[in-house]
Amino acid sequence: MKIRIGDAVSLTTPIDFKFHPDDRQTLVQTDGGNVVQDFGSVASGDKITLNAVFKRDEFLKVWNYYQSRELIDFTDSSGVVWPRMRVRILAYGYKERFENYINCEIELWRI
């Protein structure tokens, strides 16, 4: 299934979809043992990374979200809606022989 970033819809199902929770757990070294400080999971620090192909016009919508730092709703390939996400484009390139199709690596942050 395709993904939706704001109003932009991908051409393909994303590959390498990964969810990275922000787990605020740190290890503190003490004399004679270890102590773990656990501040819990902080939802506003969660990140999603993925690679997807977009048609040029759809990619430009994502690019504008990135440039304007606009908060958008993200719908993943299983239909789950993630509200209030910020888009970050890590890299992009044109598909060989199909310059109207853009392969991009995207990171989405929960805010």
Side-chain angles (χ1 to χ4, degrees):
M1 185 175 156
K2 299 175 183 182
I3 59 168
R4 179 178 289 274
I5 297 175
D7 292 330
V9 179
S10 69
L11 182 66
T12 62
T13 301
I15 57 172
D16 297 331
F17 181 95
K18 293 180 184 166
F19 176 76
H20 307 274
D22 184 4
D23 191 12
R24 305 280 172 106
Q25 183 171 308
T26 58
L27 181 65
V28 178
Q29 300 289 334
T30 62
D31 209 16
N34 293 327
V35 175
V36 175
Q37 287 183 319
D38 189 357
F39 299 104
S41 179
V42 179
S44 63
D46 294 344
K47 292 188 293 187
I48 295 172
T49 57
L50 57 92
N51 289 317
V53 176
F54 291 87
K55 289 183 181 176
R56 184 178 181 274
D57 293 342
E58 298 297 307
F59 172 76
L60 290 175
K61 291 177 188 177
V62 177
W63 182 261
N64 288 331
Y65 295 140
Y66 169 59
Q67 292 293 320
S68 67
R69 312 293 284 167
E70 184 177 341
L71 296 179
I72 51 90
D73 290 342
F74 167 66
T75 306
D76 66 20
S77 55
S78 64
V80 174
V81 177
W82 302 75
R84 298 182 46 81
M85 302 287 282
R86 180 158 287 145
V87 179
R88 183 172 172 228
I89 296 175
L90 302 176
Y92 73 92
Y94 299 97
K95 298 293 277 182
E96 186 177 337
R97 298 184 333 206
F98 300 102
E99 50 279 334
N100 285 328
Y101 298 101
I102 298 172
N103 186 24
C104 57
E105 184 178 346
I106 295 174
E107 185 174 78
L108 296 142
W109 300 351
R110 286 180 81 179
I111 301 295

